[in-house]
Amino acid sequence: MITSWEDGYELSTDPDRLDVDLVHHWLSTDAFWALGRSRETVEQSVRGSLNFAVHDRAGAQVAYARVVTDRATFAWLCDVYVAPAHRGKGLGTRLAGAVRDHLAPYELKRVLLSTLDAHGVYSKVGFVPFPDPEHLMLLSPAQ
């Protein structure tokens, strides 16, 4: 899937257009939730996910998101990242909206995400706080 936006940015789900080296660099050096993430882990996560990339007019990748899903009942939106030079242009909101629209035909019961500081970005495309967070549980890795 390729979607062109009026300002020249383009959204793609084509795995051949995904710059995994760049995604690894972004996540492992600048994304607080993934600092130090190995190249191998990024590659494995990309292989197991639906991937979304935003490219500028010149074709350079400027944003990324991935979705872990069974395409039947559940999805998890994660690793949403917009390059610093392209922030403030609404790309994060458009990217989240494109993910929402891409997942809509699956009629999933639940699409989740976790965010520390971007609630406003995601609320613009319909995400709301989890109504009963006390129902969520977490299995932490063995310490």
Side-chain angles (χ1 to χ4, degrees):
M1 170 189 89
I2 296 177
T3 303
S4 296
W5 292 321
E6 289 181 11
D7 57 1
Y9 288 102
E10 186 175 83
L11 175 88
S12 173
T13 58
D14 180 353
D16 293 333
R17 293 192 65 197
L18 186 61
D19 186 340
V20 178
D21 287 327
L22 182 60
V23 170
H24 171 251
H25 173 74
W26 286 339
L27 296 178
S28 67
T29 65
D30 192 42
F32 68 86
W33 65 90
L35 292 175
R37 188 177 289 175
S38 73
R39 174 81 159 80
E40 179 182 354
T41 297
V42 171
E43 287 177 4
Q44 186 174 357
S45 69
V46 165
R47 281 193 305 272
S49 303
L50 295 174
N51 297 281
F52 298 80
V54 177
H55 299 87
D56 66 12
R57 288 183 193 275
Q61 187 174 328
V62 300
Y64 174 73
R66 70 184 181 92
V67 175
V68 180
T69 183
D70 59 10
R71 294 180 176 93
T73 63
F74 177 81
W76 179 268
L77 172 59
C78 50
D79 290 341
V80 179
Y81 185 91
V82 177
H86 296 271
R87 292 179 186 163
K89 300 176 182 184
L91 292 179
T93 299
R94 285 188 273 175
L95 183 54
V99 167
R100 175 203 58 210
D101 296 347
H102 186 88
L103 296 175
Y106 299 119
E107 298 180 359
L108 303 173
K109 179 178 175 122
R110 187 164 285 129
V111 178
L112 295 179
L113 66 84
S114 176
T115 184
L116 181 64
D117 59 357
H119 295 79
V121 169
Y122 300 110
S123 67
K124 290 176 185 173
V125 298
F127 283 90
V128 297
F130 199 83
D132 301 307
E134 67 276 3
H135 293 172
L136 292 175
M137 296 188 71
L138 173 69
L139 178 62
S140 295
Q143 301 288 329

